RNA sequence: GGCGGCAUAGCCAAGUGGCCUAAGGCGACUGAUUGCAAAUCAGUUAUCCCCCGGUUCAAAUCCGGGUGCCGCCUCCA
């Protein structure tokens, strides 16, 4: 099986080979930091983490970059008010936009850490790369694919007619865009689909002095082109983002970057389908824009959310509901309990059929991941291992040492990709408390005070601790 | 108006021409085990893949037509 990814550009799955053997250059569109990230954002960001881990499993050296957009960007509507997302949030909260972006960036980083996403090589911020953006704008002007407009020529636009492949990624045709009623006619633009590279507005709070004037700020798309080029070079192997970014954002990135460098910007484009919540689009008015704290407040750990978001195929619809969270948690617990039994199994002779089951599970796991990151199929292979081994090794589980180690090893490999099996650790205080409750329960049981014993178990369950009694004594673990 | 995606058991979700009398998970139910549980084991839980028509020796899978849901075209992952 070869590693295959669906490429948005060609609209078909393709065998993946990086431009430079053994090394993958990968860029992800990260968050716009004006509001706390929610479960929907995490689907896209955790997909990036999954992709990295799968590439690493396949032996590639991965150079991973995920940007942070800490500049607001105009919408057409906002433009009339001279206010962008970041500045609107600023007006609503009374905070300085710089402060908002700083705070949200910190939240984003800590949320990602709680979700066990590996840190990318760089998390560049747009505001730290204004010179790189300006330089690219200069290049585009020099090549004649961009033009100056407005008073004093302080606004710079990219001319879509100067780039024939404009529309190739998204399937939009320039003529269709022209005819579309949804593009407001901006008299400064030569073509309605032309997009801003740099704009000027003295009223803006976040603004920079440049060769184009005193009070400028970058267009939305130029940041990614500039930062991707700085850290990864002219050509990226993979660029990812949410499906909403295909147009206009990624379409415009291609145009700018390729017009500027004359090289292919991205070899494989991968886009994650939007997460649904309660069957529809999440919205603030429905109150279903959940943050990681909302998830934790409902008694889940971040890793439960991580698994929910990762185990469905990234290009298939996924519906976030609290039932689905419970489901994900239950599924993790099945694996955890299996691993627990394997680690405490009775070492005996080799159980028949187990070696075959392990080999089959590993093959199924890899085949799933290789097939455009089909995590549903990959996890199914691991669950089949659980069923097979349980059926063959008996209860209590009897395995040879080599078999027990091979199973642990495979589950470790699974967890190197999914990273969901280790519970949040208990603090020393909590651990001591749990241990004394377990001991107290044992003595209650010894004197046949089952009412007290059950009461203690209930307390432990609330602390997400499972106690199991057996002939060999009691054991407990964190769910 | 333009572009795209999806419809599989109570719920989540693989499978895209024969190995499907349809993976896997959650949940539920019956029996075993247990002080009771938990976990585990044995078994049950879609005769069928939104509907209609067609192609084919063969379709959940291909084609045509419906219906429903979702997304993009405007800030959004």
């Amino acid at each position: 099986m070869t590693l295959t990814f669906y490429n948005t550009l060609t609209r078909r799955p393709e065998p993946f080979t990086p431009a430079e053997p053994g090394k993958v250059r990968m860029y992800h569109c990260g968050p716009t930091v004006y509001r706390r990230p929610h479960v929907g954002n995490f689907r896209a960001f955790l997909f990036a983490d999954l992709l990295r881990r799968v590439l690493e499993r396949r032996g590639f050296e991965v150079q991973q970059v995920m940007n942070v957009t800490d500049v607001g960007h105009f919408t057409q509507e906002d433009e009339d008010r001279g206010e962008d997302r970041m500045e609107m949030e600023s007006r609503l909260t009374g905070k300085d936009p710089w402060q908002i972006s700083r705070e949200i960036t910190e939240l984003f980083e800590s949320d990602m850490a709680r979700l066990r996403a590996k840190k990318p090589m760089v998390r560049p911020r747009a505001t730290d790369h204004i010179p790189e953006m300006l330089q690219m704008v200069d290049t585009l002007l020099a090549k004649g694919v961009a033009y100056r407009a407005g008073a004093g020529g302080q606004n710079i636009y990219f001319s879509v007619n100067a780039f024939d492949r404009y529309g190739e990624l998204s399937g939009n045709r320039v003529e269709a865009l022209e005819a579309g009623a949804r593009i407001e006619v901006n008299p400064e633009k030569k073509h309605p689909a032309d997009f801003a590279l740099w704009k000027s507005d003295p009223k803006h709070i976040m603004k920079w002095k440049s060769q184009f004037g005193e009070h400028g700020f970058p267009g939305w798309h130029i940041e990614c082109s500039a930062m991707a080029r700085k850290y990864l070079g002219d050509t990226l192997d993979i660029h990812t983002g949410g499906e909403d970014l295909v147009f206009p954002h990624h379409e415009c990135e291609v145009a700018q970057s390729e017009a500027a460098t004359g090289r292919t910007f991205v070899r494989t484009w991968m886009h994650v389908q939007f997460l649904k919540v309660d069957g529809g689009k999440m919205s603030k008015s429905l109150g279903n824009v959940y943050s990681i704290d909302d998830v934790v407040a409902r008694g889940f750990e971040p890793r439960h959310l991580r698994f929910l978001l990762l185990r469905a195929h990234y290009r298939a619809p996924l519906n976030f509901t609290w039932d689905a969270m419970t489901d994900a948690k239950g599924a993790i617990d099945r694996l955890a309990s299996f691993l627990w039994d394997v680690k405490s199994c009775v070492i005996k002779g080799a159980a028949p059929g187990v070696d075959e089951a392990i080999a089959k599970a590993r093959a199924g796991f890899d085949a799933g991941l290789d097939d455009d990151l089909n995590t549903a199929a990959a996890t199914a292979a691991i669950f089949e291992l659980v069923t097979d081994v349980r059926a063959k090794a008996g209860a209590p589980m009897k395995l040879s040492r080599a078999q027990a180690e091979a199973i642990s090893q495979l589950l470790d490999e699974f967890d190197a990709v999914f990273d969901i099996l280790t519970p949040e650790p208990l603090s020393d205080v909590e651990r001591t408390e749990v241990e004394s409750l377990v001991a107290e329960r044992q003595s209650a049981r010894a004197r046949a005070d089952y009412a007290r014993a059950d009461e203690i178990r209930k307390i432990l369950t609330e602390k997400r601790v499972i106690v199991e009694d057996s002939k060999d004594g009691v054991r407990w673990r964190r769910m």
Side-chain angles (χ1 to χ4, degrees):
Chain A
M1 189 81 192
T2 42
L3 187 57
T4 301
F5 295 142
Y6 181 90
N7 188 350
T8 307
L9 181 63
T10 57
R11 290 167 183 75
R12 64 173 70 94
E14 297 170 347
F16 175 74
T17 359
E20 181 182 334
K23 188 167 178 174
V24 177
R25 294 177 172 83
M26 179 160 77
Y27 186 93
H28 315 288
C29 280
T32 302
V33 285
Y34 69 100
R35 202 170 281 162
R36 174 146 205 192
H38 54 252
V39 288
N41 296 307
F42 296 139
R43 184 181 196 192
F45 303 150
L46 288 178
F47 164 73
D49 185 57
L50 173 76
L51 183 55
R52 167 186 172 159
R53 288 168 182 255
V54 169
L55 288 166
E56 285 173 347
R57 175 170 175 77
R58 279 283 166 249
F60 292 106
E61 179 199 330
V62 182
Q63 292 201 325
Q64 185 185 219
V65 177
M66 180 183 280
N67 75 290
V68 169
T69 297
D70 57 352
V71 194
H73 293 290
F74 279 136
T75 64
Q76 201 65 44
E77 201 182 322
D78 296 331
E79 201 160 339
D80 302 335
R81 266 182 285 130
E83 192 176 53
D84 66 29
R85 266 312 213 248
M86 202 80 88
E87 304 209 344
M88 181 168 67
E89 193 69 12
S90 167
R91 178 168 54 78
L92 294 173
T93 59
K95 287 180 187 170
D96 171 66
W98 294 92
Q99 188 194 344
I100 293 169
S101 77
R102 214 165 32 239
E103 287 175 6
I104 302 292
T105 301
E106 275 170 26
L107 274 173
F108 162 69
E109 286 175 356
S110 73
D111 285 357
M112 291 310 283
R114 289 167 79 186
L115 288 164
R116 306 182 181 185
K118 288 190 177 184
K119 270 191 167 170
M121 182 179 80
V122 203
R123 266 192 194 129
R125 299 174 193 210
T127 52
D128 292 336
H129 297 79
I130 300 294
E132 287 84 349
M133 296 186 217
L134 286 166
Q135 197 183 357
M136 192 171 266
V137 175
D138 265 341
T139 305
L140 292 169
L141 280 169
K143 296 209 171 189
V145 296
Y147 57 92
R148 302 179 67 152
Q154 294 189 46
N155 295 334
I156 324 296
Y157 293 97
F158 184 93
S159 175
V160 295
N161 283 133
F163 187 75
D164 342 337
R165 290 194 305 287
Y166 190 82
E168 198 174 75
L169 178 66
S170 62
N172 285 316
R173 279 158 298 133
V174 171
E175 315 83 72
L177 291 169
E178 189 163 19
R182 305 190 69 157
I183 296 183
E184 293 283 327
V185 178
N186 177 340
E188 280 186 13
K189 295 183 183 177
K190 291 184 183 165
H191 181 104
D194 288 352
F195 55 91
L197 297 171
W198 189 263
K199 292 204 85 173
S200 292
D201 179 359
K203 293 198 298 290
H204 233 237
I205 302 172
M206 300 178 95
K207 60 190 179 183
W208 292 263
K209 186 179 172 181
S210 75
Q211 61 269 44
F212 306 117
E214 286 295 310
H215 310 287
F217 58 95
W220 174 30
H221 318 296
I222 195 73
E223 60 179 70
C224 287
S225 286
M227 291 189 284
R229 187 181 191 191
K230 175 171 180 181
Y231 295 103
L232 298 169
D234 290 347
T235 299
L236 318 182
D237 292 302
I238 301 174
H239 189 134
T240 77
E243 59 172 342
D244 57 312
L245 297 181
V246 177
F247 189 88
H249 187 52
H250 289 337
E251 191 73 66
C252 296
E253 280 186 45
V254 173
Q256 293 165 342
S257 290
E258 299 198 351
T261 66
R263 301 241 174 86
T264 299
F265 177 45
V266 172
R267 301 173 67 242
T268 304
W269 283 97
M270 299 176 82
H271 292 96
V272 184
Q273 189 159 118
F274 256 47
L275 180 75
K276 292 201 281 184
V277 174
D278 300 327
K281 193 172 178 170
M282 70 178 77
S283 77
K284 245 179 120 182
S285 58
L286 292 172
N288 61 11
V289 182
Y290 302 117
S291 76
I292 200 163
D293 284 340
D294 296 324
V295 168
V296 170
R298 294 265 190 154
F300 296 102
E301 284 181 36
R303 68 193 172 111
H304 301 311
L305 175 62
R306 180 178 167 93
F307 192 47
L308 171 65
L309 296 175
L310 288 183
R311 72 167 161 165
H313 186 80
Y314 74 96
R315 286 189 295 110
L318 173 63
N319 190 15
F320 178 94
T321 59
W322 293 109
D323 278 353
M325 280 298 302
T326 305
D327 188 299
K329 185 180 176 196
I332 290 174
D333 204 48
R334 178 167 165 81
L335 290 175
S337 130
F338 174 66
L339 188 58
W340 199 29
D341 284 345
V342 169
K343 293 214 159 142
S344 54
C345 74
V346 181
I347 300 296
K348 284 234 169 170
V354 165
D355 296 339
E356 292 76 3
I358 296 169
K360 186 179 143 210
R362 175 175 277 109
F365 180 62
D366 278 322
L369 294 178
D370 281 356
D371 180 18
D372 195 29
L373 304 177
N374 189 338
T375 49
T379 52
I382 298 299
F383 280 102
E384 280 179 71
L385 176 74
V386 175
T387 306
D388 286 351
V389 171
R390 288 225 186 263
K392 283 161 182 151
M397 199 175 274
K398 292 182 207 62
L399 294 164
S400 70
R401 186 170 301 280
Q403 286 177 328
E405 279 166 8
I407 294 167
S408 298
Q409 163 70 22
L410 181 53
L411 285 171
D412 284 349
E413 290 176 38
F414 163 83
D415 214 36
V417 174
F418 285 90
D419 207 347
I420 51 163
L421 292 179
T422 314
E424 305 274 301
L426 288 172
S427 68
D428 289 347
V429 175
E430 289 169 320
R431 171 168 286 273
T432 309
E433 192 187 353
V434 167
E435 277 166 359
S436 79
L437 281 166
V438 170
E440 190 193 336
R441 178 169 171 277
Q442 282 307 91
S443 64
R445 289 183 71 221
R447 60 175 191 270
D449 182 357
Y450 295 119
R452 178 60 186 157
D454 290 349
E455 193 186 336
I456 293 171
R457 181 164 49 213
K458 205 176 155 205
I459 297 168
L460 288 167
T461 304
E462 279 161 13
K463 295 177 184 296
R464 293 212 298 274
V465 169
I466 298 180
V467 247
E468 292 184 7
D469 306 322
S470 76
K471 287 189 214 80
D472 306 323
V474 67
R475 60 177 188 172
W476 66 271
R477 71 184 162 95
R478 196 91 197 284
M479 282 179 75

